[in-house]
Amino acid sequence: MGILEKIAEIEREISRTQKNKATEYHLGLLKAKLAKYRAQLLEPSKSSGAKGEGFDVMKSGDARVALVGFPSVGKSTFLSLMTSTESEAASYEFTTLTCIPGVIEYKGANIQLLDLPGIIEGAAQGKGRGRQVIAVARTADVVIMMLDATKGDVQRELLEKELESVGIRLNCPKPNIYFKPKKGGGLSYNSTVPLTHCSEKLVQLILHEYKIFNAEVLFREDSTPDEFIDVIVGNRVHICLDSRFHGTHSLQRIHW
């Protein structure tokens, strides 16, 4: 069974498992396994060779902004209007096939704006050029989510799901959990607040899934198993959602 099949099987198991006290350990382990497989899916293949034409764009300027959205929602038109770069726009889907960079000059600052190819549902699993697009989005300081006004809510939910599945956390701060692996001594588990989601047994089971048997863990807030897994994985990008712009959603990176 390949990684995609394993991910699909775990997602089905999670969806059909009732959430209650009796299943919390089972669900916690499933979520830990799911995070591991998703991380493996994002690792570049040793046999894949080049990263892909047009996607290896050097980061430049004072900030990088990535335009993310489904095909034919106006990303290329937006780039052409905001910069001196001409990105081909047409009435058919997938006009843009590579990453097109442009520069916005604003009050002495140079802002790199990237027009990325449209992504489709299942991009995080590699459909279309989804993995390459999302990999670029992870390097951006700001992501502008561009939506079709007639399908805004549906497209936004799908895009958020794709970004979440590759470790881009929208509209939430980094979990306030101290975590440090050790060479010995077993698990040191403490909290400064009452915990309703993570028990010592669940924390231990999740750590064992990652082959971690010795660690210091201190919860400074009532975090969920998903948030604890994010801390273990350690490569999440936390971005704040700003819905001030009609038709677009600006996401600003929080540097850990």
Side-chain angles (χ1 to χ4, degrees):
M1 184 182 293
I3 294 178
L4 289 176
E5 290 78 13
K6 291 178 180 178
I7 288 174
E9 179 59 32
I10 293 174
E11 288 176 335
R12 285 193 294 268
E13 178 68 16
I14 290 175
S15 65
R16 63 175 174 249
T17 302
Q18 292 185 346
K19 296 177 176 63
N20 54 52
K21 197 71 176 176
T23 61
E24 64 177 7
Y25 300 126
H26 178 59
L27 285 172
L29 282 176
L30 287 175
K31 290 176 179 179
K33 290 178 185 290
L34 183 61
K36 280 178 59 179
Y37 289 135
R38 283 176 171 171
Q40 291 176 23
L41 194 64
L42 290 174
E43 293 175 358
S45 173
K46 293 181 180 179
S47 61
S48 61
K51 294 182 180 179
E53 181 185 353
F55 279 84
D56 192 14
V57 176
M58 181 179 295
K59 192 171 184 178
S60 64
D62 299 287
R64 166 176 278 193
V65 178
L67 302 178
V68 173
F70 286 88
S72 300
V73 293
K75 298 184 298 296
S76 298
T77 301
F78 184 79
L79 179 78
S80 298
L81 288 173
M82 297 299 295
T83 73
S84 58
T85 302
E86 290 295 328
S87 183
E88 183 181 357
S91 58
Y92 52 87
E93 295 185 347
F94 300 107
T95 311
T96 303
L97 298 177
T98 62
C99 178
I100 309 295
V103 176
I104 300 174
E105 296 182 4
Y106 181 73
K107 294 185 177 181
N110 291 324
I111 303 170
Q112 185 183 48
L113 185 63
L114 302 180
D115 177 17
L116 297 173
I119 66 174
I120 58 176
E121 187 175 1
Q125 280 72 47
K127 290 185 179 180
R129 307 193 77 172
R131 289 189 206 170
Q132 293 165 302
V133 173
I134 291 174
V136 174
R138 286 179 59 90
T139 69
D141 299 295
V142 175
V143 174
I144 296 180
M145 199 181 282
M146 300 198 67
L147 311 172
D148 184 330
T150 64
K151 307 172 184 176
D153 290 340
V154 174
Q155 287 191 348
R156 175 179 171 178
E157 290 175 4
L158 289 172
L159 285 174
E160 287 180 349
K161 180 181 177 182
E162 295 296 330
L163 296 175
E164 287 270 346
S165 67
V166 294
I168 299 178
R169 298 293 177 255
L170 307 180
N171 203 28
C172 62
K174 176 187 174 184
N176 194 0
I177 303 172
Y178 174 78
F179 168 68
K180 182 180 180 181
K182 301 186 300 181
K183 293 184 178 179
L187 173 63
S188 174
Y189 168 90
N190 291 288
S191 65
T192 59
V193 298
L195 300 181
T196 61
H197 305 291
C198 288
S199 65
E200 182 173 2
K201 180 180 178 181
L202 178 57
V203 167
Q204 192 172 45
L205 286 172
I206 291 173
L207 288 173
H208 286 182
E209 180 62 32
Y210 285 88
K211 302 295 187 289
I212 299 173
F213 303 98
N214 305 285
E216 292 182 29
V217 178
L218 174 63
F219 285 80
R220 298 191 180 98
E221 62 184 10
D222 189 16
S223 300
T224 65
D226 296 287
E227 291 171 329
F228 179 57
I229 291 168
D230 282 352
V231 171
I232 296 173
V233 176
N235 65 349
R236 305 313 196 201
V237 176
H238 288 257
I239 301 174
C240 286
L241 185 59
D242 185 347
S243 302
R244 290 174 295 172
F245 303 100
H246 177 70
T248 64
H249 297 274
S250 173
L251 308 177
Q252 185 171 359
R253 173 191 295 263
I254 295 177
H255 297 279
W256 292 24

